[in-house]
Amino acid sequence: MKYLCLLFFIAGSNALYAAGIDRNLLTIGNSYQLNADTDTIVRKKSLSVGVSYGSDALFFGRTGPIKYPFVTGDAIYNTKSGVFIYGSVLKVLGYAPVDEVDVGGGYFYKFSKSFSGAVSYTRFIFNKNANVIKSASSNDINFKNAYDWKLFKTTIILDYLFGKSNDFFTTVSTSKYFETSWSIFDDKDYLSFNPSFNVIVGTQNFVQRYEVDHNYQYVLPPAVLENLNLSAARRNRIFNVLNYSFKVPVAYNRPHYTLEASWRYSMPVNVEGSLENRRESFFNFTFYYLFY
């Protein structure tokens, strides 16, 4: 967006399109979000606050055994120097009052008009009864770099997650941002679009950790439990393609706020453990307001 600051909730994480600040909602000009899919960077002191709804929690291309629709409240404070801090509160609908709280910070850098990036650290704090698959991890170190080729933008995100399980992820995204040259209600609003194709490569030790933490109660029938071979979990350590996805966000923008709706089609591959992930559509709705 013309007036937006850095909104960096990775993108990702991508770390989670559903728990805490969405890394794709906190991004560098790209989703988890606060809209990371439809902005450009303005280096100035600012505060962004937002709320979002998601149809299911998606964590690096994997979902839990049942759907977990959620709502989040997010805030990010940016300084002129490029340092930023952020926080997020997550509630899975129908469960605990608060399932997760995320806090973190980082630094945004820009090498040229076309090449920018950010490094950040996030701490995930879960309710002890949290059921989202992300709950197997409690820390994330994230590096994100984006290069704008004009015809399209390439973004590469590196994540190291550690806690009860350790995992590495690389997310590669190709996107094309464009906005309308005409207004909707007056000369201060416009629509923006940023369709993208994304590939996630990484390990998936978090899947086995999630199963152990929940005593396999959600994912394995009794007949399978009797003959369970835990050595199969070794395959989770392999660095492999985890997911392909398409995302189409559409946003209505004004100088200080944005309303965005997005659709993502997720295609999990190389699914290990016992989670029966399948192709699925995800819907997200986000509103955020910018103070500066």
Side-chain angles (χ1 to χ4, degrees):
M1 292 177 56
K2 297 174 182 176
Y3 302 100
L4 277 187
C5 59
L6 169 68
L7 291 176
F8 185 83
F9 191 118
I10 119 188
S13 286
N14 183 317
L16 173 71
Y17 298 114
I21 294 180
D22 187 336
R23 290 184 187 278
N24 282 316
L25 295 180
L26 294 179
T27 58
I28 336 166
N30 174 31
S31 280
Y32 72 256
Q33 57 190 10
L34 315 163
N35 181 315
D37 289 305
T38 48
D39 58 7
T40 44
I41 307 307
V42 176
R43 180 67 70 83
K44 61 173 62 179
K45 184 185 297 185
S46 62
L47 172 67
S48 300
V49 295
V51 294
S52 63
Y53 163 83
S55 61
D56 193 10
L58 177 66
F59 183 63
F60 287 103
R62 296 290 182 262
T63 59
I66 62 176
K67 282 193 174 184
Y68 293 111
F70 64 92
V71 292
T72 66
D74 308 299
I76 179 169
Y77 177 74
N78 301 277
T79 67
K80 292 181 179 180
S81 65
V83 174
F84 57 91
I85 57 174
Y86 53 82
S88 178
V89 176
L90 166 81
K91 174 178 172 53
V92 175
L93 299 180
Y95 291 86
V98 174
D99 293 86
E100 177 186 348
V101 174
D102 297 345
V103 292
Y107 178 73
F108 166 72
Y109 51 88
K110 192 167 187 177
F111 292 122
S112 68
K113 185 177 181 180
S114 300
F115 185 26
S116 60
V119 56
S120 68
Y121 165 77
T122 305
R123 170 70 175 176
F124 310 127
I125 304 169
F126 297 95
N127 181 299
K128 64 180 180 180
N129 296 316
N131 289 316
V132 291
I133 194 170
K134 180 187 178 185
S135 58
S137 301
S138 54
N139 304 274
D140 178 27
I141 297 174
N142 173 275
F143 294 90
K144 178 173 184 175
N145 289 285
Y147 191 86
D148 190 344
W149 306 89
K150 294 186 178 180
L151 291 178
F152 59 89
K153 177 183 284 186
T154 300
T155 303
I156 299 177
I157 305 170
L158 305 177
D159 284 280
Y160 171 53
L161 282 89
F162 57 99
K164 289 185 289 185
S165 67
N166 296 349
D167 285 289
F168 294 91
F169 302 96
T170 299
T171 304
V172 180
S173 175
T174 300
S175 61
K176 175 60 177 179
Y177 173 85
F178 57 98
E179 59 189 47
T180 59
S181 58
W182 37 267
S183 300
I184 308 299
F185 299 109
D186 55 38
D187 60 359
K188 293 183 179 180
D189 67 357
Y190 61 98
L191 297 178
S192 59
F193 310 85
N194 194 25
S196 64
F197 174 71
N198 315 280
V199 179
I200 303 174
V201 183
T203 59
Q204 46 188 327
N205 294 307
F206 66 93
V207 174
Q208 181 70 12
R209 181 72 256 177
Y210 179 83
E211 294 172 350
V212 170
D213 285 350
H214 292 81
N215 297 314
Y216 301 91
Q217 59 180 316
Y218 296 117
V219 292
L220 293 178
V224 176
L225 276 173
E226 294 176 0
N227 301 295
L228 187 64
N229 178 15
L230 292 180
S231 64
R234 294 173 182 171
R235 292 193 295 270
N236 290 334
R237 304 172 188 172
I238 299 174
F239 198 75
N240 213 339
V241 178
L242 303 181
N243 184 272
Y244 300 98
S245 68
F246 297 94
K247 186 174 184 180
V248 182
V250 180
Y252 171 74
N253 307 279
R254 295 193 67 86
H256 282 275
Y257 68 84
T258 288
L259 285 166
E260 182 186 89
S262 67
W263 170 78
R264 178 186 294 272
Y265 186 65
S266 171
M267 297 170 282
V269 294
N270 297 314
V271 179
E272 296 292 352
S274 307
L275 295 177
E276 297 180 358
N277 278 199
R278 61 191 181 281
R279 296 184 178 186
E280 184 179 351
S281 291
F282 297 82
F283 298 92
N284 286 76
F285 302 93
T286 300
F287 169 81
Y288 69 88
Y289 195 92
L290 174 66
F291 301 88
Y292 62 86

